[in-house]
Amino acid sequence: MNLNRKNIRKIRGLIVFTALVILALMKFDLLWNGAFFVVGILRPFLVGGMIAFVINLPMKFYETRLFKNGNLQGKAGKALNRCSRGLSLLLAILSVVLAITLLAVTVIPQLASTIKDLANKIPAFWNDVIMKLEVVFAANPELLRILADFESFDNWNEIINTVINFLKNGMGSMLNSTFTVAGSIISSTVNFFISLIFSIYILVQKEKLGNQFGRLLKAYSGPKIYEGAMKVFGLLNRNFSNFITGQCTEAIILGLMFVVSMTIFRFDYAVMTGVLIAFTALIPIVGAFIGCFVGAFLMLVDDPVKALWFVILFVILQQIEGNLIYPHVVGNSVGLPSIWVLAAVTVGGSLMGVFGMLVFIPLLSTVYMLLREDVNRRNGDAKGPGEKEALAKTVEKS
């Protein structure tokens, strides 16, 4: 009788699950829009959680290295123990602000002076382009005939009237767009401060929140689900932390490579271009191309040949970084082989753009570790007790 009841419960659960899946597929658009609506409401808190995760990395460093996890001795040590959390949080925020300020102080003044120089050089550059075009036209008379046919085009008045009507009708749209952009900026600013305050609350009582989440999960799930979920969360935490650390290390290495190589070959704007490339290289694999575009444009106006050599230098360094340094630095930090790092960047970028590139590497690393462990267990060559305990300790620490 008990067996029949268990079977009936399983069949009932399977029927309910199947019905929910069919209903979700039938109302997929409504479900998708509802998910986006919920995410839009919770966006400040989600962003706050991301900010807290990033700030927690330097904060954890200060707590463990500077304040010894609250184990300082003596009267002064006990006083510091009581306020170690607040001081660590303050130092972490100051570190992030200092890094952003250093970037701005290094890049923005030099970029402003460069733009001022470009404003003086562009007229001469344009005159030089016109002179070269005149030489080309003189050597190719057929181009002049094509331009003459273009000048005899009869519908210029119609095109001009169309442009004027577009401008008349577009003024209202432009004003609406202006108000929309202004409202979006104000809303983004408010949401940012809400996210920042929420992240501070998380960091101040992170152990308490983690304990509450663990107790809640344990209360409403079985022991196996609880242990499995805590293991997955621990691996995710470790992999994301190591990925961010490795990504920052790789960006610094790439920026130094450009500064040193550009200084050796006497390229202009070496420091500014290196810092800019280091900042944009936080986007995996492809981010440095943004810095390359800016650097090449700055050199193009001054000396097109030097701009070409800079692009060649960039391609060489990018190949070294993308195929050798990046997979090893970032791949080793998250325990993912080099080929799967490149695969994660490609798939993540195709599905979710820049955000997907940043997220898919630690996600794939976690899936890779869990799948490898399960495959080893099924094949009968699972890790020994000592290795399992080491992995469990690593997960707990993270």
Side-chain angles (χ1 to χ4, degrees):
M1 187 69 179
N2 292 333
L3 183 61
N4 292 334
R5 287 183 178 178
K6 289 181 179 179
N7 291 335
I8 291 173
R9 289 178 182 176
K10 290 180 180 180
I11 295 172
R12 186 186 302 165
L14 183 61
I15 293 174
V16 172
F17 176 76
T18 305
L20 290 176
V21 171
I22 295 174
L23 182 62
L25 291 176
M26 292 176 60
K27 300 294 183 179
F28 181 76
D29 294 338
L30 182 62
L31 192 64
W32 187 256
N33 293 331
F36 266 98
F37 177 74
V38 173
V39 170
I41 295 176
L42 299 178
R43 182 177 299 172
F45 305 103
L46 296 176
V47 174
M50 296 178 186
I51 294 174
F53 187 85
V54 173
I55 296 179
N56 184 54
L57 297 177
M59 179 178 170
K60 187 186 295 183
F61 172 82
Y62 289 125
E63 283 185 324
T64 55
R65 300 296 178 86
L66 189 61
F67 298 103
K68 306 294 183 182
N69 279 327
N71 294 326
L72 297 177
Q73 302 297 326
K75 292 184 178 179
K78 292 181 180 179
L80 286 175
N81 289 336
R82 286 194 294 268
C83 55
S84 60
R85 174 57 53 86
L87 290 176
S88 300
L89 176 59
L90 180 61
L91 289 174
I93 294 175
L94 290 178
S95 299
V96 175
V97 173
L98 180 62
I100 297 174
T101 304
L102 182 62
L103 174 70
V105 169
T106 304
V107 174
I108 293 177
Q110 191 170 358
L111 186 61
S113 63
T114 302
I115 293 174
K116 192 177 296 183
D117 293 338
L118 289 178
N120 297 327
K121 292 178 181 178
I122 284 178
F125 173 76
W126 183 248
N127 291 332
D128 185 51
V129 171
I130 292 176
M131 292 176 61
K132 291 181 179 179
L133 288 176
E134 290 177 352
V135 173
V136 172
F137 284 129
N140 301 277
E142 62 274 8
L143 294 176
L144 293 175
R145 288 196 298 271
I146 294 174
L147 288 177
D149 295 337
F150 186 72
E151 289 178 355
S152 62
F153 187 65
D154 296 331
N155 293 329
W156 286 112
N157 291 330
E158 182 179 349
I159 293 176
I160 292 173
N161 290 330
T162 302
V163 172
I164 292 174
N165 291 330
F166 173 77
L167 292 176
K168 287 181 179 178
N169 296 326
M171 288 300 294
S173 299
M174 185 179 69
L175 290 175
N176 291 332
S177 300
T178 303
F179 285 116
T180 302
V181 170
S184 177
I185 293 174
I186 295 173
S187 176
S188 299
T189 304
V190 173
N191 288 336
F192 172 76
F193 281 105
I194 293 175
S195 302
L196 182 61
I197 294 171
F198 183 68
S199 67
I200 292 174
Y201 275 110
I202 293 176
L203 292 171
V204 168
Q205 46 187 344
K206 56 183 180 179
E207 289 86 3
K208 182 178 180 181
L209 292 174
N211 183 44
Q212 289 176 347
F213 174 77
R215 292 178 61 190
L216 187 66
L217 182 63
K218 189 174 183 179
Y220 292 98
S221 64
K224 291 185 178 180
I225 296 178
Y226 170 77
E227 293 177 2
M230 295 304 292
K231 179 179 179 180
V232 171
F233 290 142
L235 287 174
L236 284 171
N237 181 38
R238 190 193 70 174
N239 289 333
F240 271 94
S241 300
N242 292 341
F243 170 72
I244 293 174
T245 304
Q247 192 69 30
C248 293
T249 304
E250 183 269 341
I252 293 173
I253 292 173
L254 183 62
L256 289 176
M257 288 171 58
F258 271 94
V259 171
V260 172
S261 58
M262 290 178 69
T263 303
I264 292 174
F265 293 108
R266 297 182 180 180
F267 283 100
D268 297 328
Y269 319 114
V271 176
M272 184 194 71
T273 305
V275 173
L276 187 62
I277 287 177
F279 179 72
T280 55
L282 294 175
I283 303 172
I285 303 293
V286 298
F289 285 94
I290 301 173
C292 171
F293 174 78
V294 175
F297 175 76
L298 296 177
M299 296 178 192
L300 178 65
V301 177
D302 191 23
D303 188 351
V305 176
K306 187 174 289 187
L308 178 61
W309 282 111
F310 170 74
V311 173
I312 294 174
L313 175 66
F314 173 82
V315 171
I316 295 173
L317 294 180
Q318 181 68 13
Q319 289 299 315
I320 295 173
E321 182 266 346
N323 295 300
L324 296 177
I325 299 175
Y326 184 85
H328 287 286
V329 172
V330 180
N332 290 338
S333 66
V334 296
L336 192 64
S338 303
I339 186 173
W340 296 116
V341 173
L342 298 176
V345 170
T346 304
V347 175
S350 300
L351 294 177
M352 303 173 63
V354 175
F355 183 76
M357 293 180 184
L358 295 173
V359 169
F360 263 63
I361 292 177
L363 280 180
L364 185 59
S365 174
T366 303
V367 174
Y368 177 82
M369 290 179 179
L370 295 173
L371 183 62
R372 180 181 61 187
E373 182 183 353
D374 187 65
V375 168
N376 290 337
R377 180 181 60 81
R378 290 174 181 270
N379 289 333
D381 54 349
K383 296 180 178 180
E387 296 182 10
K388 287 183 177 180
E389 290 177 2
L391 178 61
K393 290 180 180 179
T394 302
V395 173
E396 290 178 359
K397 290 180 180 178
S398 60

